[in-house]
Amino acid sequence: MAAKKIGRPTDSPKDIDIKIRFDKETVDKLEICSEKMQITRAEVVRRGVRKMYDDLDKK
């Protein structure tokens, strides 16, 4: 039997899946952000969550 493939080590594994529903306008904005910033859509969402969380401290 083949050995289990080991991925790149990381301090922050992405092992939780979340399903969300978007409308067309939001998906279009997400895609534009992803293309212009040259990052994945998932990374755009992660950064958005971090930004919203950081803004909580400002209020």
Side-chain angles (χ1 to χ4, degrees), residues 13 15 19 23-24 31-32 34 42 52:
D15 57 350
K19 180 180 176 182
D23 58 28
K24 175 87 169 96
E31 194 64 38
I32 290 168
S34 174
M52 295 293 293

Side-chain angles (χ1 to χ4, degrees), residues 1 4 9 19 23 26 32 47 51 55 59:
M1 182 164 35
K4 182 177 178 183
K19 180 180 176 182
D23 58 28
T26 304
I32 290 168
R47 290 182 185 187
K51 181 170 176 43
D55 288 350
K59 291 184 179 183

Side-chain angles (χ1 to χ4, degrees), residues 1-53:
M1 182 164 35
K4 182 177 178 183
K5 185 175 178 181
I6 298 175
R8 186 176 352 167
T10 179
D11 293 332
S12 180
K14 311 299 187 280
D15 57 350
I16 299 171
D17 291 333
I18 296 177
K19 180 180 176 182
I20 55 177
R21 295 171 58 103
F22 284 137
D23 58 28
K24 175 87 169 96
E25 179 183 356
T26 304
V27 170
D28 291 344
K29 290 177 181 179
L30 177 63
E31 194 64 38
I32 290 168
C33 291
S34 174
E35 289 172 4
K36 288 199 180 238
M37 299 175 78
Q38 296 183 339
I39 57 177
T40 64
R41 294 184 303 180
E43 184 60 26
V44 173
V45 173
R46 284 186 208 105
R47 290 182 185 187
V49 169
R50 282 187 217 116
K51 181 170 176 43
M52 295 293 293
Y53 183 81

